[in-house]
Amino acid sequence: MKDDRPDPDALLARVRKEQARQHRGKLKIFFGATAGVGKTYAMLEAARHQRAAGVDVVIGWVETHGRAQTEALLPGLERLPPRAVDYRGTTLREFDLDAALTRRPALILVDELAHTNTPSSRHAKRWQDVTELFDAGIDVYTTLNVQHLESLNDVVARVTGVPTRETVPDSILEEADEVELVDLPPDDLIQRLREGKVYVPEQAGEAVRRFFRKGNLIALRELALRTTAARVDAQMEDYRRDHAVPGIWPVAERILVCVSPSPFAARVVRAARRMAAGLRAEWVVVYVETAGQTRLPETDRDRVVQTLRLAEQLGAETVTLTGDDVSTEVLTYARQRNVTRIVLGKPARPRWREVLFGSVVNELVRRSGDIDVYVITGEREGPQVPAVERPASPVDWQGYVQAAGVVAVCTGVAWLMFPRFAPANLIMVYLLGTVLAAWRLGRGPSIFVSVLSVAAFDFFFVPPYLTFAVSDTQYFVTFAVMLAVAVVISTLTTRVRAQAEASRQRERRTAALYSMTRELVSQQGLDELLRAATRHIAEVFGGRVSVFLPDPHGQLVQRAGELAPGTDAPSERGVAQWVQEHGQMAGRGSATLPGARALYLPLTTARGTVGVLGIEPPSGETPATPEQLQLFETFAAQTALAIERVALVDEAQQARLRSETERLRSSLLSAVSHDLRTPLATITGSASALVEGEATLDAATRRELAQAIEEEADRLNRLVHNLLEMTRLESGGIRVRKDWHPLEEVVGSALARVEKHLGARRVVIQLPPDLPLAPLDPLLIEQVLINLLDNAVKYTPDDTPIEIAASVDDHTAHVTVADRGPGFAPGEEARIFDKFYRGQQAGTRSGAGLGLAIARGIVEAHGGQITAETRRGGGAVFRFTLPLAANPPEIRPDDG
Amino acid sequence: MAERQTAGEAEPTRPPATGPVVLVIEDEPPIRRFLRPTLTSQGYRVVEAETGEDGLLQAATRQPDLVILDLGLPDLDGLQVIRRLREWTAIPIIVLSARGAESDKVAALDAGADDYVAKPFAVGELLARARVALRHATLGREPGESTFVLGDLRVDLARRRVWLGEVEVRLTPIEYRLLTVLVRHAGKVLTHRQLLQEVWGPGQVEQTHYLRVYMANLRRKLEADPARPRFLRTEPGVGYRLLTE
């Protein structure tokens, strides 16, 4: 095998990328070192060229900062009106994403990619707007300065000393189809600045002037040039890869980045990102949660969340590991994943701690083996991941009160022991109290107990008694050891407790996931399935959970779960709808529409987004951690899979039904076409005979022909009636309107309807005079009787009688229609009620085989049963039952 | 049976145009095509209208003695036509409607129609209904007979007595009232609602099972075979009719 062939996997990935791109619009970024280099100008000029070439160009948003040269380019280009947004009393103007999507130009200009939108906007950042635009197939021109690139953010801040808050992920630069570097030498830029051609906001004058120093400008220019060059390199490599230019295969690299709650973790992440980009390597960001850290301060914990989120934005995979020893966990994981390089930050703690507690870095370096370890400096300057402000958690006063109680009890016990035991044993009592407090009350109260114990011991049992004064200095050693032991015990106990709590929580979630999966698999109907899913997810996360599925028009409808008051607001629906359409999560705790009350996750399957899962955390809860988000996604994936399974089962059933219907339809067509044509032939023939032979036919013949027409038309009418009735029955179009009826009357009206058909046939009716009223639909039961009578007339000789009888037992009325015809062939009784089934004796008799099927449909709709059996002594007997309600209406006789 | 007619093109011998005028409001040409010769041959003068509006206009201008109205018209609901006719005239209206649409028939009858014929129908049935309707229309203006005779059944309305052949039949007050209502409208269909209102009064119009039980009692007293009644016929889903021929 020659090794200069293109790697098929890589080629496939590229083909996929190309395909994805074909549906998407093209993104062109006008990239510059700083403000003032003329990016907007270059963009507008390019847009004018496109316009001249006949392209449908619209300006979505442009910031000219009043520069005359730039403004001169505006006329002749269509501009979208901005969206007015009320924000804290002032009206701000924003790019109108929805208007742009509605207008759908071929090319849209959106200036300042790094802009942060006002909080009420759909996306937090403008680059997300732009992503949505080119995802929707619209070409986009936009502008970007190098300092806004996420991975360079800290470098720029270090160079210029001015931190930049507004950043865009590097991936957007990589996704761009074209990047045009707008370059201006620093001297020219400074010249332009002096001439007032560069926009400088008045209030930030000093800072900005500091920013525009020549040294800064040179550095920024270099950064911009290098970024662009790196992109060109990457393109070159892609090209080579496509065309299998040999000899450039890098060894597949995988970088593992260790982060800590340190504020400088973000720097490490950014540095790793640059390294990964340079190596074109996959990278994983790992946070190891040790037992001691489970009770990190909230701010630290939030910072870890922020760091991991930043890493995800920069394209990393993030993993949270749990273990006692950071280096062991990291190395085990790294070996599992074939990591080639480990990146971590230089610890910022004092040397003595390193000596005392060891250092993760040293440990890693010593045990890393063939994995390279990179240590990134963590300086004090540079942008830090800001900790999310949160209200301080309220102090658990009750815990402290209980802690005081524990000390009081210990003191009481010690007081009783005091006369007979040495002071060392009294200390044991206090230590026992400390352990109990640590076990039950947590860290704060347990330390409180240790301090209080020392105080109480001093006060009551150290001479001089009942003062805090200490006569013997030896006791200070006692106090110190007692305090140290108490603190160590409480720390250890709380740590064990925290660890147990953490593993219990994890265990609970795993169990919940397992039990949900198991229950979802067993659910058959969609509604039950959704109910089960929402119930399980709500049990695990608390709060409210709901599932939305699209209706046939693509509009989301809530199918399961409960909504908080206000969650059914149109804005929440809008978020869910957006998630459905874009297949990405949005809402609270995500980057898109974070103002929503709930977090919405797409239920994604191989066939696309099948619905949306909404999770509203209990009020007051913080946004989800990445770990939680991953869990949400796992639950969503399970739910989506289950929904798809139900959909597939449905589809299979539909397909089977379709084929069944198809088969029925063809047998119906063959039966019906024969039965329709025969009477039609008779009618047409007789009528034409009457017309043709008007002069030659005698009166008797004419009458016979006319009678034939009438009879055949009558048959046709009944057949059509039966067909219609069957259709109505099957489509559920028949409504049973029950009312209290004497059976006798229904039998009478049925007989009247078939009178002509019966001819001279003897009909014996046996109805007991005390038959109660039965709840029935007279028209439908009449139809049952007519069909049974018709059937008897059709299949039995004219000289045999038909017998109708009724009886009542035990809240059921039984009605029988019996004949003395040929009866049934063995086994036929069960089948004669099937649609289109025709008896063995049917022979050439007409009939579509619907009459008895209709009878069964009607009787069953009444809650009764219909059966057929061979009659003793020959013939057939049809029997149907009608349930009688327990309380027939009372009829007051009018004269007794 | 005797009145059966074939749908000929045109009747060669038309009786003198002196008979009752029948207005046929029907949008289906094939139906009009066989109705016209059939009715004409029976001595009726036929006026046709294709739409409800046209029918209302013709009714006002031609002053017919009888209206035959199809319930499924393209422009107006048949019920609307009945109501608008009943605003100014009491001429008998016979409704043509499809089988299965029993509630439509009941609505039409309760709105003031006199009778109905379900499609498809034999002309004999339609002609019989027309005769009954016309007879009742003329009877209304003359003093009624005091004795009603139908086969063996004899009802002396003046003396409130009922005989079957030579045997007097004892009826309860309600049975007697029910019978007299049917006799007064002999040959015409009466809806459950109409019967309940006339016999029990306006408060009882929903108690149809009362009506059914009394009708069953009446049949047991008057009919030879109550399960196959000769006179007191059930019109399923609509009401009852005292058959006169």
Side-chain angles (χ1 to χ4, degrees), chain A residues 235-273:
Chain A
Q235 279 170 340
M236 190 62 194
E237 200 174 316
D238 270 350
Y239 175 84
R240 281 182 176 153
R241 195 170 292 186
D242 286 353
H243 297 80
V245 179
I248 52 138
W249 286 116
V251 183
E253 293 267 11
R254 190 171 280 147
I255 299 172
L256 184 145
V257 188
C258 285
V259 295
S260 66
S262 146
F264 312 108
R267 249 182 59 73
V268 178
V269 168
R270 288 204 182 87
R273 145 84 211 182

Side-chain angles (χ1 to χ4, degrees), chain A residues 740-741 745 753 782 894, chain B residues 4 99 174 208 212 236 240:
Chain A
W740 297 96
H741 281 264
E745 183 174 299
R753 283 271 307 282
E782 180 193 284
D894 60 328
Chain B
R4 185 176 292 109
R99 240 202 85 76
I174 288 183
T208 36
R212 292 196 190 99
Y240 297 96

Side-chain angles (χ1 to χ4, degrees), chain A residues 387-626:
Chain A
V388 176
E389 282 178 35
R390 61 160 77 232
S393 56
V395 181
D396 180 16
W397 289 113
Q398 219 180 340
Y400 287 94
V401 172
Q402 285 172 6
V406 168
V407 176
V409 171
C410 291
T411 308
V413 174
W415 188 257
L416 293 175
M417 291 164 65
F418 183 49
R420 262 161 287 173
F421 291 86
N425 290 323
L426 306 188
I427 290 173
M428 290 302 137
V429 173
Y430 282 107
L431 285 182
L432 185 66
T434 311
V435 173
L436 278 176
W439 179 43
R440 303 295 306 194
L441 304 175
R443 189 180 165 88
S446 64
I447 290 180
F448 179 63
V449 166
S450 19
V451 175
L452 212 59
S453 299
V454 171
F457 181 66
D458 174 14
F459 191 77
F460 291 105
F461 307 115
V462 174
Y465 304 116
L466 299 180
T467 69
F468 285 109
V470 179
S471 58
D472 190 345
T473 44
Q474 277 184 35
Y475 276 109
F476 284 112
V477 178
T478 314
F479 293 163
V481 171
M482 186 176 162
L483 190 63
V485 169
V487 169
V488 168
I489 287 175
S490 66
T491 308
L492 284 176
T493 316
T494 45
R495 184 178 294 186
V496 166
R497 206 164 71 121
Q499 211 164 17
E501 179 62 30
S503 64
R504 200 164 60 234
Q505 235 171 46
R506 213 149 294 169
E507 163 77 31
R508 209 173 58 218
R509 288 182 178 174
T510 313
L513 188 61
Y514 173 67
S515 75
M516 179 177 96
T517 312
R518 210 177 40 185
E519 187 168 342
L520 291 191
V521 165
S522 65
Q523 294 297 344
Q524 288 306 316
L526 184 60
D527 284 317
E528 291 90 55
L529 182 145
L530 295 179
R531 261 201 301 280
T534 49
R535 196 185 63 238
H536 278 286
I537 299 173
E539 267 172 21
V540 180
F541 298 110
R544 296 185 173 84
V545 177
S546 46
V547 177
F548 302 86
L549 297 187
D551 68 4
H553 311 292
Q555 289 297 309
L556 283 183
V557 182
Q558 192 191 359
R559 287 293 294 270
E562 48 174 333
L563 282 174
T567 319
D568 54 345
S571 61
E572 292 291 314
R573 280 295 154 92
V575 181
Q577 192 73 39
W578 188 89
V579 171
Q580 167 76 16
E581 277 158 22
H582 293 77
Q584 294 165 16
M585 84 166 73
R588 184 170 174 161
S590 71
T592 303
L593 297 162
R597 296 169 61 113
L599 174 70
Y600 295 91
L601 295 119
L603 297 172
T604 315
T605 68
R607 297 190 295 178
T609 310
V610 296
V612 174
L613 176 71
I615 300 176
E616 193 192 345
S619 52
E621 194 116 310
T622 46
T625 61

